[in-house]
Amino acid sequence: MPGVIVALCAGLPARIALPIAPGVSTAIIVVAAIAADAVGMGWNLWPVAIITIVCAAGCWWMRRIVSRVVDAGAIASRVRRRQASSSTRTTPRRGWWLAGGLLGVFLTGWHMIAQIGRPDNFAQSFDNMFHLNAVRWILDHSNGSSLTMSMTSGDGPTSFYPLAWHDVISLALKTANSADVAAGTNAMVLIISSVVWVLGCFYLIRMLGRATVPGVVAVGVLVCAFPTFPYLSTSYGVLYPNTLGMTLLPAMVALTYQIFLDPRAPKLRSTIPVALLAGFGMVLAHPNTAALYCVFAFPLIITWLVHTLRADRPRWQLVGACILTAATAVIIAVIWKFLRPADAAGIWPPIVGWRRALWQAVTLTPMVERTTVLPLAVIVAIGAVVTIITRRHLWLLAAHVIMAFLWIAVASFPFGPLRTFLVGIWYNDPYRLAASLPLTALPLAAIGANSIGAWLLRFAHLRVPANVVASPRLEATLKWATTLVLALVLMLVTQLPATYRQALRAASDIYRITPDANVIDPDEYALLKQLPQLVPAGQRVATVPYNGSSLAYALENVDTTTTHILYVGTPDITELNQGLRDAETRPSVCHAMADMNVHYALDFGPVEVNRWNYRAFYPGFADLNTAPGFVPIASSGHAVLYRIDACG
């Protein structure tokens, strides 16, 4: 809603305002959270409303001012001439676009609901302990500022962390008067995957032009046909902030294309302020999304420069185009060099040889055990051939080649400066690049599907008997029949391959509470559900994050001593980790417990996240069943809650 209001005030039509709105809203919400903390205002709808009004007024004011400075009549004349020069373009009616979009929303939502399973399920993965607990922390502290997030910083200074994902969820939960962090997170996963992603993709496809009715509906099938996105990024890791940024990317690319290459674009005074806000929101979702945007932006800007140099333009415009392109190259270089984590964070090694990595890029099957040629890859290949033959949208093909090369680099290049320079911005993590391949592949798949749709329509017309008189009804019948056939065939060949089904099963397994679950097993979950009745409000439970017990905070709102595996330990927490079981004979432990108001301890046993072994870091939690002064008050299988009476 905030983004729609701002985009409409900037003068954008609703068909553009709606898909670009999530990016603008993300920027507004993150800035509102930072501003609210800076002025001492609690985190709620009021800061968002204030920032929305400011941005909407600013866009409206800029639109009015620029319209008086710029010769609007001359601009309109140029736009009309460009539209006249492209009058041969045809586009399906809005109803067909709506049908394709709804099909995409339905299919993607269907798969995501199957992946999540239940509203109270949660991803059993390393990073989700942080993501769930961060939402709870924001709710408890009424502070969503990305600058002052102190949940894991201990007594040390805070540093910037992109909290866009957590800010949106916490704001939604506050608005709904709910504290169900798991359900709020799953709702966010469902919405960005099945609505934001689909809206952005259809906006991009519409901007590319020359769409056919069967092709538009086919895109509704293709948006959910990739095994690695959005399913991999919402299960591995989990990469929630990355997923948010990636779902915002297609709309941002479409708006950039509209500004530079689309002759039907609205006036720049309506587009540029909103583009800046949407881009800001995309980067705030996760900074490495800026690198993905650069993959599109660089070939797009080069294409615009070539078109400008070939056109009959005044010298000052040509010089300006060269300067802007050079500035863009510098900005991309700066982003690539500085907007990245420390090199030490890129711990992921290569996983395959370069030949296999190349084949996986071509077949769109990264991170799979058996590489097969997906029909989807054939459609992408058709789209690539069409771009080469028609010489239209070659920048998309260039972007896909760059993305494929980055995948090959992260998957097969040996550890070293070159690999780190190329893909260190993604932590040298093959999973992140595997999830990113569909971003460049989908537009090519859409071009391929449109070409297939055009060929089918042409074939259908040729099969009509010569003695049948052409009529609007006949034309509509052919479109309906061709569209239905193409959509059904695509659903069969993209949704049923074993590689695709295996990807969905693997993603859904992450959200299930099973005896061999990675974070919380059924015994531990059953005990967590009892904690609100067992632990008095305001009292804290001693936990170690490695075995999942710290999720008591996110899931049941029971305060814990630790909230994430990657935390900075305070002296008190370090004291507990080293000597909790010796509290009866170690006064320093009792002092630490008193400082943190700790009265209970959770013992989830020795099985740790990712089957690690960090027990040497917390010997104080070893064998609590034999420690004096630890009274078991509830248990479920191997999971036990102790009341600590050792300190008297």
Side-chain angles (χ1 to χ4, degrees):
M1 185 60 69
V4 167
I5 294 172
V6 171
L8 292 177
C9 287
L12 293 181
R15 66 179 183 276
I16 298 174
L18 188 60
I20 205 66
V24 178
S25 293
T26 300
I28 290 173
I29 290 172
V30 173
V31 171
I34 294 173
D37 177 61
V39 300
M41 182 185 296
W43 178 228
N44 50 56
L45 282 176
W46 281 110
V48 178
I50 293 171
I51 299 297
T52 300
I53 293 172
V54 171
C55 291
C59 287
W60 180 86
W61 175 81
M62 183 175 296
R63 173 186 171 194
R64 297 281 294 179
I65 294 298
V66 174
S67 66
R68 295 178 181 179
V69 175
V70 178
D71 184 359
I75 293 178
S77 177
R78 286 199 298 270
V79 170
R80 284 194 296 269
R81 286 199 302 269
R82 291 175 180 175
Q83 289 175 337
S85 66
S86 59
S87 59
T88 57
R89 294 184 182 180
T90 59
T91 183
R93 295 181 182 273
R94 291 180 181 178
W96 288 109
W97 287 99
L98 180 61
L102 290 177
L103 179 62
V105 170
F106 173 77
L107 290 176
T108 311
W110 179 274
H111 292 316
M112 293 308 302
I113 290 173
Q115 173 178 315
I116 295 170
R118 292 167 47 93
D120 56 351
N121 281 352
F122 53 92
Q124 300 262 359
S125 55
F126 179 98
D127 282 343
N128 205 28
M129 192 177 304
F130 173 83
H131 294 313
L132 294 177
N133 280 331
V135 174
R136 176 69 67 190
W137 189 91
I138 293 172
L139 292 174
D140 284 353
H141 293 78
S142 195
N143 177 14
S145 174
S146 298
L147 303 179
T148 58
M149 176 63 166
S150 61
M151 185 182 76
T152 59
S153 60
D155 293 336
T158 59
S159 59
F160 173 82
Y161 184 87
L163 286 178
W165 173 268
H166 316 84
D167 287 342
V168 175
I169 295 173
S170 59
L171 185 65
L173 288 172
K174 277 180 167 287
T175 305
N177 195 27
S178 171
D180 194 333
V181 172
T185 299
N186 290 333
M188 183 73 165
V189 172
L190 180 61
I191 289 299
I192 67 165
S193 301
S194 61
V195 178
V196 175
W197 165 246
V198 174
L199 277 174
C201 290
F202 269 82
Y203 175 29
L204 177 57
I205 303 309
R206 187 180 180 91
M207 287 301 101
L208 298 181
R210 295 189 179 179
T212 63
V213 168
V216 166
V217 177
V219 173
V221 179
L222 297 177
V223 291
C224 65
F226 293 89
T228 58
F229 191 83
Y231 317 112
L232 179 64
S233 62
T234 53
S235 57
Y236 166 77
V238 282
L239 307 177
Y240 284 151
N242 284 83
T243 305
L244 174 58
M246 287 190 286
T247 58
L248 298 176
L249 182 64
M252 188 61 204
V253 173
L255 195 57
T256 306
Y257 171 82
Q258 197 171 25
I259 292 173
F260 287 96
L261 294 178
D262 187 4
R264 302 165 299 171
K267 301 179 181 67
L268 292 183
R269 66 173 180 270
S270 300
T271 307
I272 290 181
V274 178
L276 293 175
L277 281 172
F280 189 48
M282 180 188 69
V283 174
L284 288 176
H286 199 290
N288 70 26
T289 313
L292 293 175
Y293 176 72
C294 291
V295 171
F296 285 95
F298 185 69
L300 189 152
I301 293 296
I302 295 297
T303 302
W304 170 75
L305 177 63
V306 171
H307 288 179
T308 302
L309 294 178
R310 288 178 176 177
D312 184 16
R313 300 285 181 85
R315 182 179 296 275
W316 69 269
Q317 290 188 9
L318 300 180
V319 173
C322 293
I323 293 174
L324 180 58
T325 304
T328 302
V330 171
I331 292 172
I332 291 174
V334 170
I335 289 174
W336 219 267
K337 181 173 178 60
F338 295 106
L339 200 63
R340 59 168 59 216
D343 290 348
I347 61 175
W348 281 266
I351 55 175
V352 294
W354 73 266
R355 290 183 180 87
R356 183 174 176 83
L358 174 61
W359 184 242
Q360 288 178 337
V362 172
T363 58
L364 300 174
T365 55
M367 304 307 301
V368 297
E369 295 180 1
R370 292 191 308 164
T371 303
T372 59
V373 180
L374 294 179
L376 179 61
V378 177
I379 299 173
V380 173
I382 292 173
V385 172
V386 170
T387 60
I388 294 173
I389 293 175
T390 62
R391 302 185 64 82
R392 296 185 71 250
H393 306 311
L394 287 172
W395 62 276
L396 280 175
L397 180 58
H400 188 56
V401 170
I402 294 172
M403 185 62 70
F405 172 72
L406 293 174
W407 160 252
I408 295 170
V410 76
S412 65
F413 283 18
F415 265 125
L418 177 60
R419 183 172 184 261
T420 298
F421 170 75
L422 291 173
V423 295
I425 199 169
W426 291 280
Y427 302 88
N428 289 334
D429 185 0
Y431 281 93
R432 296 175 192 261
L433 271 300
S436 303
L437 263 177
L439 298 176
T440 54
L442 179 63
L444 293 176
I447 292 173
N450 275 319
S451 299
I452 295 172
W455 298 336
L456 288 176
L457 280 174
R458 196 174 301 120
F459 177 78
H461 280 98
L462 291 175
R463 303 301 296 176
V464 174
N467 59 347
V468 176
V469 179
S471 66
R473 175 173 293 184
L474 175 63
E475 183 69 23
T477 301
L478 291 177
K479 285 183 180 180
W480 273 100
T482 306
T483 301
L484 183 62
V485 169
L486 181 59
L488 290 176
V489 170
L490 282 181
M491 288 182 67
L492 292 175
V493 302
T494 63
Q495 315 283 301
L496 295 182
T499 301
Y500 182 80
R501 305 306 302 178
Q502 177 58 34
L504 295 182
R505 283 194 296 271
S508 64
D509 288 345
I510 300 295
Y511 282 80
R512 301 301 183 264
I513 301 173
T514 60
D516 61 345
N518 191 37
V519 181
I520 298 291
D521 64 27
D523 287 342
E524 295 161 351
Y525 189 65
L527 182 58
L528 287 182
K529 302 299 288 185
Q530 302 176 45
L531 291 184
Q533 289 75 43
L534 299 172
V535 179
Q539 296 189 8
R540 184 172 289 183
V541 178
T543 60
V544 289
Y546 307 97
N547 59 20
S549 58
S550 296
L551 274 177
Y553 181 52
L555 300 180
E556 301 302 329
N557 199 19
V558 173
D559 204 6
T560 57
T561 54
T562 54
T563 53
H564 184 41
I565 294 171
L566 303 178
Y567 70 97
V568 177
T570 64
D572 286 339
I573 291 178
T574 301
E575 185 65 32
L576 294 188
N577 287 345
Q578 296 300 314
L580 178 64
R581 69 180 322 276
D582 301 321
E584 191 171 71
T585 59
R586 192 166 171 173
S588 58
V589 173
C590 292
H591 288 310
M593 290 173 53
D595 289 343
M596 293 190 291
N597 196 25
V598 172
H599 297 271
Y600 298 86
L602 263 180
D603 184 2
F604 276 7
V607 179
E608 298 176 350
V609 177
N610 294 341
R611 302 304 184 263
W612 289 343
N613 185 2
Y614 281 92
R615 288 186 289 279
F617 291 101
Y618 52 96
F621 283 80
D623 302 320
L624 292 181
N625 61 316
T626 63
F630 285 74
V631 181
I633 60 172
S635 64
S636 176
H638 68 275
V640 183
L641 174 69
Y642 293 96
R643 187 182 69 243
I644 305 175
D645 294 341
C647 294

